[in-house]
Amino acid sequence: MRGRGAKIAGVLPLFMLFIAGTISAFEDIERLRIWPLPAQVSHGGRRMYLSGDFKLVTEGTKYGDTSGILKEGFDRMLSIVRLSHVISGDWNSSGSGGSALLQGLHVIISSSTDELEYGADESYKLVVPSPEKPSYAQLEAKSVYGALHGLQTFSQLCHFNLKKKVIEILMTPWNITDQPRFSYRGLLIDTSRHYLPLPVIKNVIDSMTYAKLNVLHWHIVDTQSFPLEIPSYPKLWNGAYSSSQRYTFEDAAEIVNYAQRRGIHVLAEIDVPGHALSWGKGYPALWPSKNCQEPLDVSNDFTFKVIDGILSDFSKIFKFKFVHLGGDEVNTTCWSATPRIAQWLKKHRMSEGEAYQYFVLRAQKIALSHGYEIINWEETFINFGSKLNSKTVVHNWLNTGLVENVTASGLRCIVSNQENWYLDHIDAPWQGFYANEPLKNITDKKQQSLVLGGEVCMWGEHIDASDIEQTIWPRAAAAAERLWTPYAKLAKNPNKVTTRLAHFRCLLNRRGVAAAPLVGGGRVVPLEPGSCLAQ
């Protein structure tokens, strides 16, 4: 099973990670306490304070913000900076002790659209304070979604001064120019193995924005349950664990909208034909037989009508350009063991392997007819890579070296190799997540361009609402920096970023995210009393 097992890995004791050394340019970078590390950053040594009525200014922008995405993002930024503390009511320039006071943030966006398009410009430039308006910070971006990233970075420059009860920014002036290294920076959640309530999913989305991840891969259904309402085939969600552990069609639309307003795409997955036993709870005709229920019946046209209905309904709410069709771990013995399907195979002169190919390619054509490009797990490439549609993205999870082969063939690839980027491998420490390089051994520039990015996978066999956050964080943040920060700026030794990552983990905690300590693998508990920064 993709979501099972764990790679045993050694854990370096924390005290080993704070060995004193000479001050270098890299160590100066580590003092910045920004995660993920920006592409270019410079700073000074002065202090500034945010005024009590710190405001958003948009003079000169081409973006009208009719949908309120920017204003909502600005308000969220202020909220997470204030951390529910009470700001001093009488704070003004006379109380700043001679330090400059920032009155607001001037945001200039050059694109008028708020459509979330994959591959759109996510860059931004942040200057604190603005040379033109010293009482304002300035944020420039091509798109509103680049501006949202800039707001996240600005939030990490801000600190609540508990003595003065104000928000301050240290080490000004700041000059930051930033953009992501990869366009696909994903996190998978699994709502089939365990149902995740809507507030939990929204909390995960919010936490993704803090680390600048931009794709929520929603593995909605699988063998165990089918929790999503499909209007075209309403009995499919008979496969849910219970009537209360379901998502309405409107719920799914709300998740997509919630994510979109935060700059996050939602990638929907139906894993066919292998991971689909739950489909037959509502429509038994999808099973090869009552006693042999998986994979889906390749011989029955009804199977493909249902897939068509699902993807037709998906196209109304899941607006991301890609849909994930799975295709992994397909045990075809049920087909040859079921007499009528065995007869169909014989009639069509197909082996079980050829029927697997037929199923995947037919499902791909259906997805293409609904305007989607396709993502499939790597087994489809391994078994019949030359037959896959040219719009296929191959999702690597098993084999070392597969990425080179996929890109050499001209297909695109997403990296999620399980030994380093599977979050359910709870013995895997964050250092492995940080060190995992998507372009490993790929030197050809064209092949490098075919690697869209990567994704950390939170498979749900042993994860539910009670432990999902501490299993995701902070290890997902380690991968997030790998996917965002320019390669030349990444630490060659992951332990060099321990202090900065520990600071980010504590920041997540302060923002209400249950991020686990760094010492150990996933969802470990603190070893003893002490500071968040030392765990």
Side-chain angles (χ1 to χ4, degrees):
M1 236 358 256
R2 270 196 319 269
R4 295 192 183 277
K7 179 186 177 185
I8 304 298
V11 179
L12 197 63
L14 193 62
F15 70 87
M16 294 283 291
L17 308 180
F18 292 97
I19 298 174
T22 59
I23 299 298
S24 66
F26 185 84
E27 288 169 320
D28 182 60
I29 286 174
E30 289 307 298
R31 291 175 55 237
L32 301 182
R33 305 294 189 262
I34 304 172
W35 196 283
L37 190 68
Q40 298 177 38
V41 55
S42 66
H43 66 87
R46 298 195 296 272
R47 181 193 309 259
M48 297 188 77
Y49 296 101
L50 270 62
S51 68
D53 60 348
F54 188 80
K55 54 186 173 288
L56 171 67
V57 177
T58 57
E59 291 176 10
T61 188
K62 293 182 179 178
Y63 179 69
D65 200 28
T66 55
S67 61
I69 291 175
L70 179 61
K71 181 61 167 63
E72 287 180 9
F74 179 81
D75 291 343
R76 286 195 304 272
M77 182 272 294
L78 282 183
S79 177
I80 59 175
V81 166
R82 287 171 175 158
L83 298 171
S84 300
H85 292 300
V86 176
I87 304 294
S88 176
D90 58 358
W91 183 261
N92 53 39
S93 57
S94 64
S96 63
S99 296
L101 199 65
L102 276 178
Q103 301 290 345
L105 177 62
H106 185 193
V107 180
I108 302 171
I109 300 171
S110 58
S111 173
S112 60
T113 182
D114 57 16
E115 183 176 352
L116 182 60
E117 296 179 345
Y118 175 72
D121 196 310
E122 297 179 78
S123 66
Y124 67 91
K125 183 176 181 180
L126 177 64
V127 182
V128 186
S130 167
E132 291 79 19
K133 294 182 178 180
S135 59
Y136 284 82
Q138 182 165 303
L139 173 60
E140 298 178 31
K142 296 289 181 62
S143 72
V144 66
Y145 301 107
L148 293 182
H149 292 317
L151 290 173
Q152 288 298 336
T153 298
F154 184 81
S155 76
Q156 292 191 37
L157 302 183
C158 298
H159 308 273
F160 188 83
N161 186 313
L162 288 161
K163 289 184 177 180
K164 296 183 178 180
K165 301 180 178 132
V166 295
I167 298 168
E168 64 183 9
I169 299 180
L170 305 177
M171 299 164 61
T172 66
W174 288 93
N175 196 319
I176 297 172
T177 302
D178 204 8
Q179 63 184 25
R181 181 183 175 206
F182 291 101
S183 58
Y184 188 108
R185 307 178 303 280
L187 166 66
L188 177 147
I189 60 170
D190 174 3
T191 58
S192 172
R193 277 53 179 258
H194 282 96
Y195 177 83
L196 296 174
L198 292 170
V200 173
I201 297 176
K202 288 183 174 181
N203 288 343
V204 169
I205 291 169
D206 285 332
S207 65
M208 289 174 66
T209 67
Y210 304 150
K212 298 185 175 72
L213 296 174
N214 73 334
V215 179
L216 178 71
H217 177 175
W218 191 358
H219 189 84
I220 307 172
V221 303
D222 207 292
T223 296
Q224 290 82 0
S225 74
F226 197 118
L228 179 63
E229 178 185 25
I230 301 296
S232 295
Y233 290 92
K235 293 182 181 179
L236 280 171
W237 74 350
N238 288 6
Y241 286 125
S242 71
S243 61
S244 64
Q245 296 177 86
R246 289 172 168 172
Y247 307 102
T248 67
F249 199 60
E250 292 77 15
D251 289 338
E254 167 60 17
I255 289 297
V256 172
N257 179 65
Y258 189 88
Q260 180 265 328
R261 296 183 72 81
R262 289 154 177 77
I264 293 177
H265 304 276
V266 178
L267 170 67
E269 179 180 359
I270 54 170
D271 197 346
V272 295
H275 286 262
L277 183 149
S278 62
W279 298 34
K281 300 290 180 64
Y283 297 97
L286 295 169
W287 289 334
S289 70
K290 185 178 180 180
N291 298 318
C292 209
Q293 300 172 335
E294 207 172 53
L296 294 170
D297 187 348
V298 67
S299 71
N300 191 344
D301 279 342
F302 178 65
T303 299
F304 298 96
K305 288 179 180 178
V306 172
I307 292 173
D308 183 61
I310 292 171
L311 295 180
S312 175
D313 288 346
F314 274 15
S315 68
K316 296 177 177 66
I317 57 172
F318 293 107
K319 299 300 183 179
F320 192 30
K321 70 181 289 184
F322 299 110
V323 69
H324 206 305
L325 297 180
D328 63 308
E329 297 182 322
V330 181
N331 183 343
T332 58
T333 55
C334 259
W335 289 344
S336 57
T338 304
R340 61 179 179 78
I341 300 179
Q343 186 62 33
W344 182 89
L345 292 174
K346 183 177 180 181
K347 178 182 177 181
H348 291 83
R349 297 180 180 178
M350 287 187 196
S351 65
E352 290 178 25
E354 290 167 333
Y356 167 40
Q357 173 183 311
Y358 164 81
F359 194 112
V360 168
L361 298 184
R362 187 167 174 182
Q364 285 198 336
K365 288 180 181 178
I366 294 170
L368 290 165
S369 75
H370 292 291
Y372 285 116
E373 295 181 31
I374 312 111
I375 302 176
N376 279 112
W377 293 108
E378 68 176 61
E379 287 94 325
T380 59
F381 177 81
I382 292 168
N383 285 282
F384 42 87
S386 63
K387 304 293 185 181
L388 293 172
N389 187 279
S390 61
K391 292 186 176 181
T392 303
V393 178
V394 178
H395 198 161
N396 161 239
W397 72 279
L398 271 176
N399 290 287
T400 302
L402 181 103
V403 180
E404 299 111 281
N405 295 333
V406 170
T407 54
S409 77
L411 293 178
R412 294 164 294 176
C413 194
I414 294 167
V415 177
S416 292
N417 48 320
Q418 64 171 343
E419 71 274 14
N420 288 315
W421 277 358
Y422 267 29
L423 291 158
D424 57 309
H425 290 202
I426 60 173
D427 291 329
W430 67 265
Q431 289 93 339
F433 282 78
Y434 189 92
N436 193 43
E437 173 51 45
L439 300 184
K440 184 179 180 180
N441 298 328
I442 301 177
T443 56
D444 181 83
K445 296 294 184 183
K446 184 176 180 181
Q447 285 183 243
Q448 289 180 350
S449 70
L450 294 173
V451 180
L452 302 184
E455 175 181 295
V456 289
C457 298
M458 185 67 275
W459 295 107
E461 281 87 351
H462 307 290
I463 288 89
D464 63 10
S466 70
D467 59 1
I468 186 170
E469 287 188 354
Q470 59 264 48
T471 314
I472 292 174
W473 305 107
R475 294 180 302 159
E481 178 152 297
R482 172 65 53 171
L483 293 167
W484 178 275
T485 300
Y487 181 79
K489 295 287 184 73
L490 293 166
K492 301 302 182 283
N493 178 357
N495 293 325
K496 293 287 188 180
V497 305
T498 301
T499 301
R500 188 161 51 86
L501 182 57
H503 181 275
F504 183 71
R505 178 251 168 170
C506 296
L507 180 70
L508 291 175
N509 285 172
R510 291 198 298 273
R511 292 178 178 184
V513 179
L518 268 63
V519 182
R523 66 168 186 262
V524 295
V525 298
L527 296 177
E528 58 187 7
S531 167
C532 171
L533 293 167
Q535 296 174 338

